[in-house]
Amino acid sequence: MKKRVVITGLGVVAPNGVGIPAFTHALQNGISGIRHDSQLEELQFSCQIVGQPPISEELKGQYFTELELRGFNSTGILYGVIAGMEAWNNAGLSINENPDWDSGAIFGAGTSGIDKFRESIYKIDELQVRRLGSTVVAQTMNSGVSAYLGGKIGLGNQVTTNSSACTTGTECILMAYDRIRSGQAKRILAGSTSDSGPYIWGGFDALRVCSSKFNESPEEGSRPMSASAAGFVPGSGAGAFVIEDLESALERNATIYAEILGGNVNSGGQRDGGSMTAPNNTAVQRCIKNALENAGIHPHEIDAINGHLTATTKDSLEIENWAKALDRSSSDFPFINSLKSLTGHCLSASGSIESVATVLQLHEGFLFGNKNCSDLHPEIAALIDPSKVLLETIKTNPKIIAKASFGFGDVNACVIFKKFEN
């Protein structure tokens, strides 16, 4: 028999809040984490604002030893370990002396240790290969984040890293869901992380897809669904979950934040309008429809959507795809929001951080507002009732929220979360 799958732990390292209490406060009060970056200005980036989590030396010391921090400069692993360990602790779980054969990790990343790579290249070019240090491989391998977490906790089930661009964080949740639902694990620490810094963000700046008109007013720079949207604001961070079978969660009297009903992952094959950077609309709609079918729910049961919505020209197209896939428009359309208005686009971490926000809305009973969207794009206003795009946080009681991510490479993922009812 297929098992019910629930979320029993949450962790987050976001530009507008490190740790669940700070992040929840930021969501409920519309607090932005987007700031001016003097380094990007010095490097003559067009976009000089970013969403980067503030990490103190004290916080690092809570999760890493002095020895581990010697020569350590992989921000992606740093964010992922902090978020992952918070989720594990938040779930009331302990560190294992022996391998825990029932618990694993599926923790995604887009890259790992870009700054460490750069440091290594310079040392090798200067014939100093022996001075690279003993942790350069662990910091730069893509699976570094899951390997660090697996070792710190003592995980004995599958420990791996997935990577699918901006879809990474949403995909890892469904990978964990499938493994637990099939009985191959009792719990999975799932999440994703993204490195920060100019060597990550530079390529997007070169593509001219980043916001460059708000360098003097950073908090106004990320404008999903807005008529004055001018590109996305690059960001970074990590989000994490302990995903567990219901029986195990109930046995240990765990807090249950939400239930995962199901979802879908697909690709448009970069055909029929899809490309490396553009979505195949048919694939996006199929992904949403198949997610609902897999979850066993009707489109009208969706109370809200947490969209991908990056503040680019694709926002109107995404709304159109949701409307067609759900066969709901105008005043019948669900509420919809985009966390990117508060954090920027956290790339491979976006799906997991945004899913943490989605679960918190279900658990705490609210829907957060869309910052910088008082001038709703006219193409969106023609499709849905503007009141469905909340400008301020409201207290309410959503039961089911759909979360989707659409990434480079024409890859899609949609997961359906439900407020837990035993």
Side-chain angles (χ1 to χ4, degrees):
M1 189 175 79
K2 299 291 186 181
K3 297 177 179 291
R4 288 175 68 182
V5 181
V6 296
I7 294 169
T8 57
L10 297 172
V12 71
V13 173
N16 63 338
V18 177
I20 293 300
F23 185 59
T24 305
H25 176 75
L27 290 179
Q28 293 176 333
N29 293 277
I31 297 172
S32 172
I34 298 171
R35 303 287 182 266
H36 181 264
D37 189 306
S38 58
Q39 185 183 20
L40 299 190
E41 183 178 3
E42 291 169 7
L43 293 171
Q44 300 181 13
F45 275 50
S46 298
C47 175
Q48 299 167 8
I49 57 176
V50 297
Q52 186 170 0
I55 304 293
S56 67
E57 293 301 316
E58 181 184 4
L59 185 60
K60 290 181 187 179
Q62 293 178 26
Y63 295 97
F64 293 86
T65 66
E66 285 187 23
L67 183 61
E68 286 175 323
L69 288 172
R70 191 178 301 164
F72 185 93
N73 61 354
S74 173
T75 51
I77 291 175
L78 175 71
Y79 300 151
V81 168
I82 294 173
M85 294 300 293
E86 182 189 20
W88 193 258
N89 294 331
N90 181 252
L93 296 164
S94 58
I95 305 302
N96 305 293
E97 291 186 13
N98 298 306
D100 178 356
W101 309 117
D102 294 321
S103 301
I106 301 174
F107 217 96
T111 57
S112 184
I114 288 295
D115 285 330
K116 197 67 178 178
F117 263 123
R118 182 173 182 269
E119 175 190 319
S120 300
I121 290 166
Y122 275 105
K123 284 184 177 178
I124 290 170
D125 287 348
E126 293 169 4
L127 306 180
Q128 298 180 47
V129 66
R130 295 185 184 279
R131 297 184 60 187
L132 289 179
S134 60
T135 64
V136 66
V137 173
Q139 287 191 57
T140 57
M141 64 186 189
N142 214 44
S143 59
V145 62
S146 58
Y148 267 89
L149 284 166
K152 285 184 174 294
I153 298 170
L155 302 175
N157 205 277
Q158 181 182 22
V159 173
T160 191
T161 293
N162 67 305
S163 188
S164 52
C166 309
T167 305
T168 300
T170 306
E171 181 186 68
C172 75
I173 294 168
L174 290 170
M175 291 173 72
Y177 167 85
D178 286 339
R179 189 162 183 85
I180 293 166
R181 188 162 167 77
S182 65
Q184 297 181 76
K186 282 189 177 180
R187 67 191 62 83
I188 295 288
L189 177 59
S192 68
T193 187
S194 178
D195 273 317
S196 64
Y199 305 109
I200 293 293
W201 301 324
F204 297 103
D205 200 71
L207 280 172
R208 300 188 182 278
V209 294
C210 294
S211 175
S212 60
K213 297 181 179 180
F214 297 89
N215 290 334
E216 304 304 317
S217 50
E219 293 189 8
E220 298 176 19
S222 187
R223 312 180 68 83
M225 297 184 285
S226 164
S228 51
F232 75 77
V233 174
S236 57
F241 307 83
V242 173
I243 300 177
E244 190 166 0
D245 75 57
L246 177 61
E247 184 180 1
S248 171
L250 293 176
E251 279 178 2
R252 61 186 195 83
N253 198 30
T255 297
I256 297 177
Y257 290 96
E259 182 169 5
I260 302 172
L261 295 183
N264 186 245
V265 177
N266 78 359
S267 170
Q270 299 181 43
R271 301 289 189 276
D272 301 324
S275 68
M276 181 63 73
T277 57
N280 173 333
N281 296 320
T282 301
V284 169
Q285 292 170 34
R286 282 177 63 90
C287 183
I288 296 167
K289 289 178 180 178
N290 289 342
L292 296 177
E293 184 178 346
N294 179 257
I297 63 167
H298 189 276
H300 279 85
E301 293 183 80
I302 299 290
D303 296 311
I305 297 165
N306 183 248
H308 187 58
L309 298 168
T310 57
T312 63
T313 56
K314 302 299 181 186
D315 285 4
S316 300
L317 188 58
E318 180 179 335
I319 299 295
E320 182 179 351
N321 284 328
W322 279 107
K324 288 180 177 179
L326 299 178
D327 193 24
R328 296 175 64 179
S329 59
S330 190
S331 60
D332 186 43
F333 196 80
F335 289 109
I336 187 163
N337 53 22
S338 172
L339 183 67
K340 293 180 181 71
S341 64
L342 300 175
T343 63
H345 188 346
C346 296
L347 306 176
S348 55
S350 61
S352 59
I353 295 174
E354 292 163 16
S355 291
V356 170
T358 301
V359 170
L360 285 170
Q361 290 179 110
L362 288 168
H363 186 66
E364 300 290 341
F366 71 95
L367 290 172
F368 66 83
N370 296 278
K371 195 176 179 70
N372 304 321
C373 196
S374 57
D375 59 336
L376 185 65
H377 196 289
E379 291 179 7
I380 295 175
L383 285 167
I384 66 175
D385 187 330
S387 68
K388 299 298 182 176
V389 182
L390 297 171
L391 301 182
E392 303 287 342
T393 298
I394 62 168
K395 278 284 187 182
T396 185
N397 191 32
K399 298 290 186 183
I400 297 177
I401 303 181
K403 167 65 199 151
S405 297
F406 311 115
F408 268 30
D410 196 10
V411 291
N412 313 302
C414 180
V415 60
I416 311 297
F417 296 105
K418 184 177 185 293
K419 190 178 186 71
F420 177 69
E421 296 170 342
N422 189 13

